[in-house]
Amino acid sequence: MTSATELPATEVPAAGPAEPTEPFGLGSSPLRTDALPKALGIYPYAADLWAEGLLWGAVLRSPYPHARIVSVDTSAALAVPGVHAVVTAADLPPGPDGTPDGAPAGPVVADRPVLAAGVVRHHGEPVAAVAADHPDTARLAAASIVVEYEPLEAVTDPEAAFNAPPLHPDGNLFRHLPLRSGDPDAVGEIIVEGLYQVGRQDPAPIGAEAGLAVPRPDGGVELHLSTTDPHGDRDRTAACLGLEPDRVRTVVTGVPGATADREDLSFQVVLALLALRTGRPVKMTLTREESFQTHVSRHPALLRYRHHADAEGRLVKVEAQILLDGGAYADVSAEALAAAVAFSAGPYVCPNVFVEAWAVRTNNPPAGRMRGEGALQACFAYESQMDQLAARVGIDPMEIRRRNAMATGDPLPTGQAVTCPAPVGALLDALADSPLPALPLDEPEADWLLPGGPGGAGDPAAVRRGIGYAVGMVHMLGAEGEDEVATATVRVSGDHATVICAAVDSGQGFATLARQIVQSVLGVSEVYIAPVDSDQSAAGPSARGRHTWVSGGAVERAALMVRHQMLQPIAADFGMSVELLTIADGKITSYDGVLGMPVSQALEGRELWATAQCRPHPTEPLDENGQGDAFVSIAYCAMRAVVDVDIELGTVRVVDMTVAQDVGRALNPRQIEDRIEAAVAQGVGLALFEDLRTEGGIPVNPSLTGYRLPTSLDTPDIRIAALIEERDVVASFGAKAVSAAPAVVAPTAVAAAVRAATGLPVGRLPIQPEDATVLT
């Protein structure tokens, strides 16, 4: 069998023995296990893989957002010297009716063809693929495939999708979700309304998608991928190829950061298909433009809101219409819509909430999972409304939030009681107590501190400072009945332990956390994290903070089982129960101080192991009125943004972002702060820069020069005002996810600060110069 060159996989280079002086166990902040190899440039990514007899893959993509495929002629591509295979939808197993259907797949709904069959529904949709002996040859051959298209009218306005002809056999409506809670006739003394718009933010990962497929002697295939869901990829790839799941193996190789699941299955399936067709390893590395075309982006949204309040600003009723553009395929649009609806009133108590919400299909690029999907769009709308309300009532924006703040035990509009800690008031207090940054220095050399930088700030007298506040919430783990389960094995031999868990560390630091868990439970400093592949028991995708809770919980349970095995004979020798023995600082101690034994001595000559699962309590789907216990738990975040705005040019500089975060329990404070800083930077990107723009369904800026990302000069000072530790008693370790909530709140806080500086409504993200320009 031809195999991939054995590069160290994912955590291996970084998960070696701990230094004697390194912080130990939960609550400490050891260096990330992958920090050193990444800093040295030796960390292995999927783009670094190699194999003997390697071929290169390339994909032909549709130039149209909507068209009928009349014919596909691959003869010119097959005639190119060095080409070994060309595949189309006809090379995939036929659908149930016996016709080629492109082997539809998807993370939730199987509606997205691996290779387009008959119709293309978005620009860049894969139509055919080539394997050749050189990457340039593969791309040349792909470009020589002749596809005759019959262009069709593209539906790019989500409001037009309701009455447009069906773009797919499943129709144009992914989901309609109404929410009805309370008295529909309730009316407040003060009413404010607003129309809000959120653009298409792309994950823009630091590394574009790459992978290697290696055929196996049994007719199966081995995939080396930078995936965040190895078992999901394995199962869906096998289904698309007509193979049993055990004939496909997925090996995780260096995920170069992931703020959204890499959910486009066509990449994996095409790789596997080319390897099986040629009988040789096939590698594919996407260009940056292809990367933009391949992965999903954030759902663009249109939100209409009306808030009713009494004379003191206490909420009486919230009414909303929410429309999410899901693009060409379903992906997780239904789940994103549920979050938007459930959190439509925000982290506030409101007795009456009425929402109509839709997620629709268009010919725009597919949207999917990205930090705080659904929750972010709703946050921008309801927090903008709260600012309006504060202005109408004549009170401070912080005070309007305090008067309506949700607390533990309060209900969501869905009827679900918030049983987890909901420290919204404490988060606001932490922001109020945090000092404001200094004003810009009145010195010529400090002009780079002004909006636009040197030579771009215009008249310094036109610069206004604004301070804005925002509070938001996200759900953790899957929702509406989704089963969340993870399995982990902990093995101890001699003076070290090994963790086997298929939880992918996509940048959130799970490998470091797993190591800390085992250190705390077993007192063993040397902990190795096994490379991840689909031969291990499933741990689920890296999304919604699930690995801290579910996979971390499985690691803890397995470690506790090993701990019992280790302590039981010692306890029996001393005539006491295991519960009377503790492990701390690498030493086993009895309650009475009689026993004091190093862990290494207790483990000498022994090999112990255990496997355990963690499954949180079940949830249920929302009913026809938007009611139900749909979420396992909720995390909250509050933020203050300080901006300087040149009101003549509309340029904005974010000066400071101060964060108060609900963390449950700080398992690794430094990692938490790092994750918050990264999420805030991403939120600033959406607030001011990031928008994958389209014209007629075709992206016009699919590059890192056209799609603007915040640089180090655009990223403000980010300060942590407080990490509120109120443990969630049902969560593993009492901890909550930390990276999604700041990403949800940051863009809204920046918008609030721009609103405060200019007096303008600021109703869209990202904020354009004209949105921050005060006409005189």
Short mmCIF file of all heavy atoms in Angstrom, two decimals, residues 75-85 130-134 136-138 140-141 144:
data_model
loop_
_atom_site.label_atom_id
_atom_site.label_comp_id
_atom_site.label_asym_id
_atom_site.label_seq_id
_atom_site.Cartn_x
_atom_site.Cartn_y
_atom_site.Cartn_z
N SER A 75 -12.93 15.42 -23.05
CA SER A 75 -11.93 14.82 -23.94
C SER A 75 -10.65 15.65 -24.01
O SER A 75 -9.55 15.10 -24.03
CB SER A 75 -12.53 14.64 -25.34
OG SER A 75 -12.96 15.90 -25.86
N ALA A 76 -10.78 16.97 -24.04
CA ALA A 76 -9.58 17.81 -24.11
C ALA A 76 -8.73 17.67 -22.87
O ALA A 76 -7.49 17.65 -22.93
CB ALA A 76 -9.97 19.27 -24.33
N ALA A 77 -9.37 17.55 -21.73
CA ALA A 77 -8.62 17.39 -20.48
C ALA A 77 -7.92 16.05 -20.45
O ALA A 77 -6.75 15.95 -20.02
CB ALA A 77 -9.58 17.51 -19.29
N LEU A 78 -8.58 14.99 -20.90
CA LEU A 78 -7.97 13.66 -20.91
C LEU A 78 -6.79 13.59 -21.87
O LEU A 78 -5.89 12.76 -21.70
CB LEU A 78 -9.01 12.61 -21.27
CG LEU A 78 -10.07 12.32 -20.20
CD1 LEU A 78 -11.22 11.51 -20.78
CD2 LEU A 78 -9.43 11.58 -19.02
N ALA A 79 -6.77 14.47 -22.86
CA ALA A 79 -5.69 14.45 -23.84
C ALA A 79 -4.45 15.21 -23.38
O ALA A 79 -3.40 15.12 -24.01
CB ALA A 79 -6.19 15.06 -25.16
N VAL A 80 -4.57 15.93 -22.28
CA VAL A 80 -3.41 16.68 -21.77
C VAL A 80 -2.40 15.70 -21.21
O VAL A 80 -2.73 14.86 -20.36
CB VAL A 80 -3.85 17.68 -20.68
CG1 VAL A 80 -2.62 18.35 -20.05
CG2 VAL A 80 -4.79 18.73 -21.27
N PRO A 81 -1.13 15.75 -21.65
CA PRO A 81 -0.11 14.83 -21.11
C PRO A 81 0.02 14.99 -19.59
O PRO A 81 0.07 16.10 -19.07
CB PRO A 81 1.17 15.27 -21.82
CG PRO A 81 0.70 15.94 -23.07
CD PRO A 81 -0.59 16.61 -22.71
N GLY A 82 0.07 13.87 -18.90
CA GLY A 82 0.20 13.90 -17.45
C GLY A 82 -1.10 13.77 -16.70
O GLY A 82 -1.11 13.61 -15.47
N VAL A 83 -2.23 13.82 -17.40
CA VAL A 83 -3.54 13.68 -16.76
C VAL A 83 -3.86 12.20 -16.58
O VAL A 83 -3.74 11.40 -17.52
CB VAL A 83 -4.64 14.37 -17.57
CG1 VAL A 83 -6.03 13.99 -17.05
CG2 VAL A 83 -4.45 15.88 -17.53
N HIS A 84 -4.27 11.82 -15.38
CA HIS A 84 -4.56 10.42 -15.08
C HIS A 84 -6.05 10.13 -14.91
O HIS A 84 -6.46 8.97 -15.05
CB HIS A 84 -3.82 9.98 -13.81
CG HIS A 84 -2.34 9.89 -13.99
ND1 HIS A 84 -1.67 8.70 -14.06
CD2 HIS A 84 -1.39 10.86 -14.11
CE1 HIS A 84 -0.37 8.92 -14.22
NE2 HIS A 84 -0.18 10.23 -14.26
N ALA A 85 -6.83 11.13 -14.61
CA ALA A 85 -8.27 10.89 -14.45
C ALA A 85 -9.02 12.21 -14.50
O ALA A 85 -8.51 13.26 -14.09
CB ALA A 85 -8.57 10.19 -13.13
N VAL A 130 -9.93 16.86 -11.79
CA VAL A 130 -8.85 16.25 -12.56
C VAL A 130 -7.74 15.82 -11.61
O VAL A 130 -7.47 16.50 -10.62
CB VAL A 130 -8.28 17.26 -13.58
CG1 VAL A 130 -7.06 16.69 -14.29
CG2 VAL A 130 -9.34 17.65 -14.59
N ALA A 131 -7.09 14.69 -11.93
CA ALA A 131 -5.87 14.28 -11.25
C ALA A 131 -4.75 14.20 -12.28
O ALA A 131 -4.90 13.57 -13.33
CB ALA A 131 -6.05 12.93 -10.57
N ALA A 132 -3.63 14.86 -11.96
CA ALA A 132 -2.51 14.90 -12.89
C ALA A 132 -1.20 14.84 -12.12
O ALA A 132 -1.19 14.94 -10.89
CB ALA A 132 -2.57 16.16 -13.76
N ASP A 133 -0.09 14.70 -12.84
CA ASP A 133 1.19 14.51 -12.18
C ASP A 133 1.86 15.82 -11.75
O ASP A 133 2.96 15.81 -11.22
CB ASP A 133 2.14 13.70 -13.05
CG ASP A 133 2.32 14.30 -14.44
OD1 ASP A 133 1.93 15.48 -14.64
OD2 ASP A 133 2.86 13.60 -15.32
N HIS A 134 1.23 16.96 -11.99
CA HIS A 134 1.77 18.24 -11.54
C HIS A 134 0.58 19.17 -11.28
O HIS A 134 -0.42 19.13 -12.01
CB HIS A 134 2.69 18.85 -12.61
CG HIS A 134 3.47 20.03 -12.13
ND1 HIS A 134 2.95 21.30 -12.09
CD2 HIS A 134 4.75 20.12 -11.66
CE1 HIS A 134 3.85 22.14 -11.62
NE2 HIS A 134 4.96 21.45 -11.36
N ASP A 136 0.14 22.33 -11.82
CA ASP A 136 -0.18 23.21 -12.96
C ASP A 136 -0.86 22.44 -14.09
O ASP A 136 -1.77 22.96 -14.75
CB ASP A 136 1.10 23.87 -13.49
CG ASP A 136 1.68 24.88 -12.52
OD1 ASP A 136 0.94 25.30 -11.60
OD2 ASP A 136 2.86 25.24 -12.66
N THR A 137 -0.42 21.19 -14.28
CA THR A 137 -1.06 20.36 -15.30
C THR A 137 -2.51 20.10 -14.94
O THR A 137 -3.41 20.14 -15.79
CB THR A 137 -0.31 19.02 -15.45
OG1 THR A 137 1.06 19.28 -15.77
CG2 THR A 137 -0.93 18.16 -16.53
N ALA A 138 -2.74 19.82 -13.66
CA ALA A 138 -4.11 19.55 -13.21
C ALA A 138 -5.01 20.76 -13.44
O ALA A 138 -6.14 20.64 -13.92
CB ALA A 138 -4.10 19.14 -11.74
N LEU A 140 -4.51 23.24 -15.59
CA LEU A 140 -4.65 23.45 -17.02
C LEU A 140 -5.69 22.50 -17.60
O LEU A 140 -6.55 22.90 -18.40
CB LEU A 140 -3.30 23.25 -17.71
CG LEU A 140 -3.30 23.32 -19.24
CD1 LEU A 140 -3.66 24.72 -19.72
CD2 LEU A 140 -1.93 22.92 -19.78
N ALA A 141 -5.62 21.24 -17.19
CA ALA A 141 -6.58 20.26 -17.71
C ALA A 141 -8.00 20.58 -17.25
O ALA A 141 -8.96 20.46 -18.04
CB ALA A 141 -6.17 18.86 -17.24
N SER A 144 -9.50 23.13 -19.32
CA SER A 144 -9.78 22.73 -20.70
C SER A 144 -11.06 21.91 -20.84
O SER A 144 -11.48 21.59 -21.95
CB SER A 144 -8.60 21.93 -21.26
OG SER A 144 -8.48 20.68 -20.61
#
